[in-house]
Amino acid sequence: MKRVLVTGATGFIGRHVCAALTGVAWVRAAWRSQAPAGNCDEAVRVDLSGPLPPALLDGIDTILHCAGMAHAHGVRLDDDAAFEADNVVATRNLCAAASAGGVRRVVIASSVAVFGTPGAAPVAEDAAPAPDSAYARSKLAAERAVQASVPEPVVLRFPLVYGPGLPGNLARMVDAIARRRFPPLPRVCNRRSMIHVEDAARAMVLAGGHPAAAGRTFTVSDGQVYSTSQMAGWIRAALGRRAGGMAPPLAVFSLVAAAGDRVAAVSGRRAPVDGDAYRKIFGSAEYASSRIATELGFEPRWDLPRAMPGIVAARRNRSDKP
């Protein structure tokens, strides 16, 4: 790995991948809506879902594909069209160009969502994909496009990625607790796998250069599991607050989620709290992830309790800006 194209270079994972490549490889950063601020040798503005610049892959031997759409809370879970351009068409376009240009290795940042809704037991790395949402179907289609296009495809499936500047559900949880709009939770002992964004970036770089990664698929986590109750407690501690008061019964949360599903069925748009949100708060999503350690020697450096103060500080600084 000498000359690398990073797609989605200004996204949450992509910008950390560019930083992790400093001193490791020459980097061409591909971006669509926001120019990269350093950590690359060359920057190219491109919409991967449309015609690609002829010189996009000139001299490139490895692609670290971080571009795509993930966090679209207002989008219905069955709206495949919402994810088609950014996740499927864009990846197919990139893979066609990679194949034509002789690029040997493409590493794609994918998602454990391809396994479908998890149960109580940990999801094995070799479990058959069973995507049950538009986002998950789009990520599986993108994986398969990569696997069919180049001699050395690598798929990394990430659970929730955390760290300062994170988007998505955990960010909304931090904001809701900070604004005192997140109720105390009944004690739940669910188990959720996650990974710090810097570790996700390190895994992408490792997979881009390690000979044993070629043709492999890895689930990548920090090796820990966390309950939602723990997360809420760490957020309150980072805010300098005591634990919440009396928690409503679990049945109340279930009723609110059911009402959200009914609203979505009528309006065609997701409600702020629905069945999917309920499952993410109270359900488990634990994934086995030992293969990348065994085969590539990957070792995570972060865990969520240590990262939470920085996450909360970054969200508070963001909310304080005009």
Side-chain angles (χ1 to χ4, degrees), residues 111-178:
S111 169
V112 294
V114 301
F115 291 118
T117 302
V123 178
E125 291 193 70
D126 57 359
D132 55 6
S133 70
Y135 169 69
R137 289 188 290 272
S138 74
K139 294 305 287 186
L140 184 59
E143 288 184 8
R144 289 174 173 169
V146 170
Q147 290 166 332
S149 67
V150 293
E152 299 180 2
V154 188
V155 175
L156 300 187
R157 292 170 174 165
F158 296 119
L160 187 151
V161 181
Y162 61 86
L166 82 170
N169 291 319
L170 185 54
R172 284 191 286 270
M173 184 176 176
V174 171
D175 292 345
I177 291 175

Side-chain angles (χ1 to χ4, degrees), residues 5 28 102 105 139 170 260 271 308 317:
L5 173 72
R28 179 176 293 145
R105 183 167 297 196
K139 294 305 287 186
L170 185 54
M308 190 62 81
N317 289 339

